[in-house]
Amino acid sequence: MIFSFLKAILVGVCASAPLGPICALVIQKTLNHGRRAGIATGMGSALADTMFAALAVFAVAAVQDFIENNNRVLLICGGVIVMGLGIMMALKKRMDGGKRMNKVSAKFPAQAFVMALSNPGALALMFGLMLVFNVDGSEDKLITILGVSVGAVLWWTAFSTLVDRLGKKLKPDNLVIVNRIFGILVIAFGSWMTVKGLFSVFSTE
């Protein structure tokens, strides 16, 4: 059981580690609001990964069928949501001259949670990782889900801590530029999802 738990932790780490809109959001929140804000943002993604793990363990066939049957709609809707969050990041104006504001808001994990749920690829990644690491919850489903959650939390805590230490070397005025850069990256990712979904719709007509 301990070995299965450790493998589930690896699944959680690997599911969180890939660069993408969540990573960009966590970096932005950490640089602007500090380590705790970055960790709080990552917790939203960790919650989504925990839900994905539960779906993978308890409802594999049903979830796979749903994704296959609604993949285009999920991509288009998810892409629009991600683009919207990216626009908010890019257009965010600061009244404090770009200085770091050490605060944590409930909006931070909520944004990451919505962004994670809007990406069907994240759920597909969870299924793939469970197959790669041979984690199916056959021994103990709750232990598997808990391991994935622990792995995601460990990753975002370590990642936010590293970003916070590196970010302290940035000049305050550069933080506004960072907002723009990562906002544009998130918009680009959302645009790619939307275009991919639309292309799949028109290519089958």
Side-chain angles (χ1 to χ4, degrees):
M1 182 176 293
I2 295 178
F3 186 58
S4 298
F5 181 66
L6 292 176
K7 288 196 299 181
I9 290 177
L10 284 177
V11 170
V13 171
C14 293
S16 302
L19 296 177
I22 303 294
C23 181
L25 183 65
V26 170
I27 292 174
Q28 189 217 28
K29 297 303 184 186
T30 303
L31 293 179
N32 283 276
H33 303 289
R35 174 175 171 272
R36 290 188 302 164
I39 294 174
T41 304
M43 293 308 99
S45 176
L47 177 59
D49 284 338
T50 302
M51 292 179 58
F52 292 157
L55 289 173
V57 168
F58 288 105
V60 177
V63 173
Q64 286 181 329
D65 289 341
F66 178 79
I67 293 177
E68 291 177 1
N69 295 332
N70 300 277
N71 186 57
R72 301 163 190 165
V73 176
L74 291 173
L75 278 172
I76 295 172
C77 294
V80 172
I81 292 173
V82 172
M83 279 193 296
L85 291 172
I87 291 172
M88 291 172 60
M89 291 169 63
L91 298 182
K92 183 176 177 60
K93 294 183 179 180
R94 304 289 299 278
M95 301 302 293
D96 53 7
K99 297 180 181 179
R100 286 165 62 97
M101 298 176 62
N102 294 316
K103 69 174 184 178
V104 179
S105 170
K107 294 188 301 183
F108 299 166
Q111 288 175 341
F113 180 72
V114 170
M115 190 178 287
L117 289 184
S118 66
N119 181 13
L123 182 55
L125 176 62
M126 181 64 69
F127 277 89
L129 289 170
M130 285 192 165
L131 289 174
V132 169
F133 287 98
N134 193 25
V135 176
D136 57 9
S138 57
E139 294 185 12
D140 193 320
K141 292 180 171 57
L142 293 180
I143 288 295
T144 298
I145 296 170
L146 178 61
V148 171
S149 180
V150 169
V153 169
L154 289 175
W155 167 260
W156 289 120
T157 300
F159 183 75
S160 298
T161 300
L162 177 61
V163 172
D164 182 58
R165 290 183 178 179
L166 296 175
K168 289 178 179 178
K169 299 179 181 180
L170 287 176
K171 295 180 180 179
D173 292 342
N174 291 336
L175 292 178
V176 175
I177 299 176
V178 169
N179 287 339
R180 304 292 187 269
I181 293 174
F182 284 108
I184 291 172
L185 289 175
V186 173
I187 293 171
F189 187 86
S191 300
W192 173 80
M193 289 174 59
T194 305
V195 171
K196 184 178 180 180
L198 290 172
F199 181 77
S200 63
V201 170
F202 291 117
S203 63
T204 56
E205 292 183 353

